[in-house]
């Protein structure tokens, strides 16, 4: 199993540690929301047909929905 993947590749219930963000294509608001390297996240829900992905940032227990295109630009390490 590949350890470093983008958030769009994770399945519901999986936990991961964010390792890298594509800072050229993602706005700074992602850092403000808690998507920083080292942050632990859990995939809560994935909408069908490439819809949004609901992610829990575990440190502050925040649920955030991301477009699949945004999730593909965040790399994480499965834990």
């Amino acid at each position: 199993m590949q350890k470093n993947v983008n958030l769009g590749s994770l399945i519901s219930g999986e936990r991961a540690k964010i390792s890298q963000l594509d800072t050229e294509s993602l706005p700074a608001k992602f850092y403000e929301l808690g998507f920083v390297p080292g942050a632990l996240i859990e995939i809560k829900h994935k909408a069908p047909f490439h819809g949004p992905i609901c992610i829990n940032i575990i440190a502050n227990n925040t649920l955030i929905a991301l477009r699949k295109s945004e999730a593909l630009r965040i790399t994480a390490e499965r834990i």
Side-chain angles (χ1 to χ4, degrees):
M1 179 181 289
Q2 189 176 8
K3 200 165 185 172
N4 284 320
V5 296
N6 62 59
L7 294 188
S9 302
L10 298 172
I11 60 173
S12 293
E14 244 183 323
R15 289 182 172 212
K17 181 168 69 174
I18 294 176
S19 56
Q20 184 176 4
L21 284 84
D22 181 1
T23 56
E24 292 183 13
S25 60
L26 293 173
K29 74 175 182 180
F30 282 83
Y31 284 105
E32 296 168 0
L33 293 170
F35 288 97
V36 294
L40 299 177
I41 57 101
E42 179 180 8
I43 305 298
K44 296 302 261 183
H45 307 285
K46 290 183 86 173
F49 307 113
H50 304 289
I53 299 170
C54 184
I55 297 171
N56 180 22
I57 298 177
I58 295 172
N60 52 14
N61 198 25
T62 304
L63 288 176
I64 298 172
L66 296 181
R67 294 180 184 99
K68 178 124 186 188
S69 61
E70 295 167 333
L72 295 176
R73 291 178 168 78
I74 301 172
T75 304
E77 179 182 327
R78 285 186 168 107
I79 54 174

